[in-house]
Amino acid sequence: MFETRKRVKTKRFSKTLYAAAFAAAVLAACGGDGSDGSGSQSWVGKPVEPAQNTTANNTAGGGKSNAAPGGTGATQNGSAGSGTSGKGASGSGSSGSGSSGSGSSGSGSSGSGSSGSGTSGSGSSGTDSSSATDNPSSGGSPPDTPPASAPNVASIVIDNALGVTVNQPYVTVKLCAPNAQSDSACVTVDHMLLDTGSIGVRVLANALGSSLTARLPQQTGASNDPSGAAPLAQCALFGSGYLWGSLRRADVTIGGMTARDIPVQIASDAAYPSTPADCESRGVADLGTVNALGAKGVVGIGHRARDFPQAAQTPLAATYYYCASATSCSAARVPLERQTINPVAGFATDNNGTIIRLPALPADGQASVTGELIFGVGTRSNNALTANAKILAVTDQGTLTTLYANRSVTGIVDSGTNGLLFRDTSIPTGVNDWYAPQNTLSLAATMMSTIGLQAAVPFSIANADRLFTIGYAAHDNLGALSLSSNMFVWGLPFYFGRSVYTVLSGAQAATETGLKAGPFIAFQTLTYTR
């Protein structure tokens, strides 16, 4: 899984260790082998409490909690990754392939029960954008901010409503029993963490409520389940801990878009009170409460459609389980169509990717921020991929190369990590290894795509100890020392002042020069602030 749960929670910046970059060892820890069909890791954040506890959340593959002892300090927490098959968007809905000529994605979603081959992604491979320097303060000419009333737009909020959190982007999600005819069979959950580093919808049971949880049908169908009818459950590993709970099916609505009858994880579901031993030993800390996770759930919208392709081939430790009883669960081999799904891939339209659009910030940050999550890339007028966007191909796991301080390391762009995570021992550090230089540093790194093109990206690193005392929810100049010298995580600070595009593997997006096949990221600077 690609879950790097980055937490940011009241006075608690938790820090997630990256034992290795996105190398084979990390992928293996998540059930992946580095190939196209492997599982990926997700990066999701966790609450951060400034000064006393603050979390720079990042998730790494094996998902051990690496929070510093004691109640003070900033922790970077991550989540272990879940990948998708990279075969396009599978999910409920019709099997249509989408229209390629009119700018729609051409990545239609396959019907439930199928493997979800989606579109072939054979559109023009295109070329990455030029190697110009990207700077949010330098202007640019992105499309106008779409009206909130557009059906493919949802609001993003970054605030301290759940405690003192830092750089945690939240969206509101409506969950309903499949094909519900009224809102009486639905619950709306706010403050769901938006994570481009993981796959799937995961909601805390206490946020969903016992009544609706009981109305959601349980997912069954493990390939190695002798009965074929045992309910499925999942252990989702994060760098700061784990989420354990059942898999159930629900209609999921974000903004005006609905993914119908898809598998979602209900974390801390009382129906399955016993966490498997391998989940506890690998995950260490239970994140199944709002206080522990710093959110009411996670919305994983990374580059893949399905959560963990490797688990469709063989039962993996601390991943999927079939449960013969509430207290007896065994490692499961789960077909892709029965795994948790990227909700975007489950939409009937605008399902080839997303755009996250956040305003630029002043040097000391901002108490709260609002932005937009736009569904689809090049599918309608409000999500066009314009000529000045920098486009960089990535792997199915969402990785590219980052060149920093004359070293090339694995990089990932991840909204679920609440700081820039990289290793530079020349920069002074403060609480829990957050960078704390005496004066704000102006630095730069270069992103290099999988086909060799690049974009130089300037960024700033301020004194985190000082910023945490302000108590603001949003900062674009926070960074932390990575324990791994082989990883550069472009966390949420990268998103401020930009439109950042995530296009799914197996999908394609219309550009001004033709169709471009995913997976890729793209970004451009904004001309407005809030």
Side-chain angles (χ1 to χ4, degrees):
M1 306 169 23
F2 229 67
E3 307 176 324
T4 303
R5 309 306 146 192
K6 285 55 162 185
R7 348 181 312 184
V8 186
K9 166 71 200 224
T10 307
K11 306 288 187 311
R12 184 175 51 228
F13 264 135
S14 38
K15 165 165 185 187
T16 297
L17 282 202
Y18 286 54
F22 264 133
V26 174
L27 292 174
C30 300
D33 58 6
S35 64
D36 288 347
S38 70
S40 62
Q41 281 156 308
S42 81
W43 312 81
V44 178
K46 189 199 163 181
V48 178
E49 307 176 30
Q52 291 170 289
N53 308 317
T54 355
T55 306
N57 310 303
N58 305 307
T59 73
K64 263 203 179 180
S65 170
N66 291 301
T72 62
T75 315
Q76 298 132 285
N77 304 314
S79 59
S82 64
T84 61
S85 73
K87 301 293 186 186
S90 73
S92 59
S94 65
S95 63
S97 61
S99 132
S100 61
S102 62
S104 65
S105 81
S107 66
S109 36
S110 67
S112 60
S114 69
S115 64
S117 61
T119 63
S120 67
S122 60
S124 160
S125 62
T127 58
D128 291 325
S129 62
S130 66
S131 57
T133 297
D134 172 80
N135 190 335
S137 64
S138 66
S141 55
D144 293 335
T145 303
S149 59
N152 68 324
V153 178
S155 294
I156 297 172
V157 62
I158 301 168
D159 63 15
N160 287 332
L162 298 183
V164 183
T165 63
V166 175
N167 290 349
Q168 295 256 118
Y170 299 112
V171 293
T172 295
V173 178
K174 181 179 180 181
L175 296 103
C176 302
N179 304 308
Q181 300 301 306
S182 72
D183 283 348
S184 64
C186 303
V187 168
T188 297
V189 182
D190 59 22
H191 288 81
M192 295 278 284
L193 186 64
L194 183 65
D195 179 26
T196 59
S198 69
I199 304 298
V201 176
R202 308 177 192 282
V203 60
L204 299 182
N206 62 359
L208 191 62
S210 58
S211 177
L212 181 58
T213 297
R215 296 180 69 170
L216 300 182
Q218 293 184 318
Q219 179 68 70
T220 61
S223 301
N224 61 330
D225 169 21
S227 72
L232 297 181
Q234 185 175 12
C235 174
L237 296 177
F238 305 99
S240 53
Y242 65 87
L243 290 174
W244 162 254
S246 64
L247 288 190
R248 297 175 182 262
R249 301 190 72 89
D251 289 350
V252 174
T253 299
I254 310 170
M257 308 296 292
T258 299
R260 298 197 179 280
D261 197 15
I262 65 171
V264 300
Q265 183 186 22
I266 312 301
S268 299
D269 185 348
Y272 296 93
S274 300
T275 304
D278 58 350
C279 181
E280 288 185 323
S281 64
R282 293 178 182 230
V284 180
D286 185 357
L287 300 180
T289 65
V290 171
N291 184 59
L293 184 63
K296 297 179 183 179
V298 177
V299 178
I301 55 168
H303 287 279
R304 291 175 177 266
R306 291 286 176 171
D307 178 36
F308 221 133
Q310 187 76 3
Q313 303 170 27
T314 186
L316 301 173
T319 309
Y320 286 107
Y321 302 80
Y322 67 87
C323 299
S325 70
T327 57
S328 177
C329 298
S330 305
R333 187 171 73 251
V334 180
L336 288 177
E337 69 274 9
R338 299 177 187 275
Q339 297 183 13
T340 49
I341 181 177
N342 185 330
V344 178
F347 296 156
T349 61
D350 302 302
N351 55 13
N352 64 337
T354 58
I355 307 169
I356 291 176
R357 191 169 287 164
L358 297 175
L361 301 179
D364 281 344
Q366 200 160 296
S368 63
V369 168
T370 57
E372 297 87 24
L373 169 63
I374 302 128
F375 297 114
V377 176
T379 61
R380 58 174 81 198
S381 61
N382 69 2
N383 58 22
L385 186 57
T386 58
N388 65 335
K390 296 170 177 62
I391 302 174
L392 297 173
V394 298
T395 68
D396 285 350
Q397 290 84 19
T399 62
L400 41 63
T401 297
T402 294
L403 178 62
Y404 174 74
N406 297 317
R407 293 190 68 249
S408 293
V409 300
T410 300
I412 185 169
V413 177
D414 174 26
S415 66
T417 296
N418 57 7
L420 301 173
L421 186 67
F422 60 100
R423 188 164 185 81
D424 187 338
T425 55
S426 71
I427 303 175
T429 57
V431 61
N432 278 8
D433 287 340
W434 286 91
Y435 287 126
Q438 183 174 359
N439 300 306
T440 298
L441 303 177
S442 295
L443 304 173
T446 299
M447 291 183 179
M448 302 177 67
S449 78
T450 56
I451 61 175
L453 298 182
Q454 59 190 45
V457 182
F459 61 94
S460 297
I461 295 294
N463 187 312
D465 290 351
R466 184 185 68 82
L467 293 180
F468 294 160
T469 64
I470 300 173
Y472 285 169
H475 296 279
D476 65 0
N477 47 13
L478 283 176
L481 180 70
S482 171
L483 295 190
S484 170
S485 60
N486 298 314
M487 174 65 88
F488 195 115
V489 180
W490 297 91
L492 197 71
F494 172 78
Y495 286 76
F496 290 114
R498 295 183 172 99
S499 290
V500 181
Y501 302 71
T502 299
V503 173
L504 300 184
S505 176
Q508 51 190 4
T511 71
E512 293 186 350
T513 58
L515 293 175
K516 179 170 176 58
F520 66 83
I521 62 164
F523 52 94
Q524 59 190 113
T525 56
L526 297 177
T527 56
Y528 73 96
T529 58
R530 292 182 186 273

